Amino acid sequence: MINYYYDNSNDSKPFTHQLEANDDTLPPDDALRIAPIFKDGYCPCEQDGKWILVEDNREKTAYNIETKEAVKVDYLGKIKDGFTLLEPFECCKWNGEKWELDEEQKSTFIIKQHQLNIADLLSEANNEIDILNDKIELEIATDGDEKLLKKWKLYRIQLKSIDANKPDIELPIKPV
């Protein structure tokens, strides 16, 4: 005879382990003498003196459908309302069944990336122009430096004239 134990302190009363039992005894309060059934994705749980299968997503990651925040599932049963096991991706929104591309969010993301990229390129252009101006001021510039200074200034003007609030932009070629 075998005692099949469950966790009496957990509301779901999940199966924990089994041990040999004496033939002439009753099962303890936290055990049944009926063998549980096991199935992938489910946990046997005691309910009214028998085993039932309860969905088991413990240790999986669930995602908040509003915030996309990831949380580890630490409970038995179905995934709570407002969460899904489907992993979100960049620039997506929940459509009630799955994540789908959010074109507006994608466009905003692309524009923000353009603005950051242009700011980085302008910073680089300003640094190059400053160095070339210093060389000219200190009279250590070569003819090539003066030509390069004009190219960097033109490049900076071209960068400043780009409308970064559009999703499709074309960047000028950086001076060499």
Side-chain angles (χ1 to χ4, degrees):
M1 206 169 266
I2 299 175
N3 284 329
Y4 299 94
Y5 291 86
Y6 53 88
D7 182 355
N8 224 356
S9 66
N10 183 315
D11 290 341
S12 298
K13 299 181 182 176
F15 171 80
T16 58
H17 63 285
Q18 66 186 47
L19 293 172
E20 290 289 324
N22 294 328
D23 290 337
D24 57 347
T25 63
L26 294 173
D29 289 342
D30 61 346
L32 298 176
R33 294 257 165 97
I34 307 162
I37 297 171
F38 294 92
K39 181 177 174 185
D40 281 346
Y42 292 85
C43 178
C45 295
E46 188 277 338
Q47 185 178 62
D48 299 325
K50 60 182 179 180
W51 295 106
I52 61 165
L53 290 176
V54 175
E55 192 173 328
D56 188 359
N57 294 297
R58 291 176 294 182
E59 299 305 313
K60 292 182 181 176
T61 302
Y63 301 90
N64 183 303
I65 61 175
E66 295 294 325
T67 66
K68 301 177 193 162
E69 178 188 7
V71 294
K72 279 284 185 211
V73 178
D74 62 356
Y75 56 88
L76 285 167
K78 294 186 182 294
I79 296 298
K80 293 177 182 174
D81 287 343
F83 289 85
T84 179
L85 293 175
L86 300 174
E87 186 174 356
F89 53 89
E90 196 73 51
C91 303
C92 68
K93 64 182 176 183
W94 185 252
N95 73 3
E97 295 178 12
K98 62 181 181 173
W99 298 107
E100 66 182 9
L101 183 63
D102 182 336
E103 292 294 340
E104 184 178 326
Q105 199 179 112
K106 179 182 174 186
S107 179
T108 302
F109 176 78
I110 290 170
I111 289 168
K112 184 74 171 168
Q113 292 303 112
H114 288 328
Q115 292 168 343
L116 292 171
N117 190 24
I118 289 170
D120 287 345
L121 294 173
L122 278 169
S123 177
E124 180 184 1
N126 288 332
N127 288 338
E128 293 294 329
I129 290 168
D130 286 346
I131 291 169
L132 291 167
N133 277 329
D134 289 348
K135 288 173 94 176
I136 292 169
E137 185 180 313
L138 295 170
E139 298 177 359
I140 57 172
T142 64
D143 287 342
D145 287 338
E146 290 182 18
K147 288 177 185 172
L148 190 55
L149 177 61
K150 287 181 182 177
K151 289 180 181 179
W152 275 106
K153 285 183 174 182
L154 177 60
Y155 176 70
R156 181 171 62 182
I157 290 168
Q158 291 170 332
L159 284 173
K160 290 292 280 180
S161 66
I162 294 173
D163 182 0
N165 295 316
K166 291 193 261 180
D168 296 324
I169 63 168
E170 194 170 320
L171 294 173
I173 298 170
K174 194 183 295 186
V176 182

